[in-house]
Amino acid sequence: MSPGMGYELRVERESPLAYAELADAITKAGFELRGSAEEGEIVARHGDTAHPVATWRGRLYGEPVSDWQVAQLARLSGTVGGRLVGEDGEVYMIRDGIVEQVSGDSRYEFGKLEEILAAAPEQWSR
C-alpha cells in the first residue's frame, strides 16, 4: 500500500536532531530549508519548481502524495542519519539504489531512486 494524503512519515533518530545540524546536512544534500528554527519546510527542486518534501517543527516529517516525495523523504532521512517510519511502523529506505517500504517480512519496491527523482513529482491517483 502506498501512503496517501494525510499519511505521515517521520524521520526517527537515536539522538534528537538539532536545527543547526538539520540545516547543515540538508544544504549539503541539495535540499532547501525555508522558515525558522521553530517551524520550517524542506523543499527539493524538480526543474525550475520547488516542491515541499518535509516539515520541521522540532522534528522532521512529511505527508507524501507521490513516489517522488517518498524518495526525497528517504534521501532526507539518510542525510540526517535517521530512518523514515510510517504510522503503522513500516520503514521506508533506499537499498541498493531502490526505494522500498519494509513492513515485517514484506517489501514493496517503489522503483529505482534515480528514475523516481528524474520523473516529475506526479500525485498518486485516487
Side-chain angles (χ1 to χ4, degrees), residues 25-100:
I26 67 169
T27 301
K28 289 177 182 173
F31 292 99
E32 296 174 35
L33 179 58
R34 299 177 177 172
S36 66
E38 290 76 36
E39 186 172 330
E41 180 179 60
I42 290 83
V43 297
R45 294 201 163 272
H46 186 272
D48 294 334
T49 308
H51 298 273
V53 172
T55 301
W56 167 261
R57 284 193 187 104
R59 65 184 185 97
L60 205 48
Y61 63 94
E63 293 182 5
V65 295
S66 69
D67 288 358
W68 187 86
Q69 285 179 310
V70 171
Q72 292 288 12
L73 277 165
R75 251 181 22 91
L76 179 60
S77 66
T79 298
V80 299
R83 62 187 204 131
L84 188 60
V85 180
E87 293 176 1
D88 298 324
E90 73 281 15
V91 176
Y92 297 79
M93 67 180 80
I94 300 166
R95 187 175 56 90
D96 299 327
I98 304 292
V99 179
E100 62 182 18

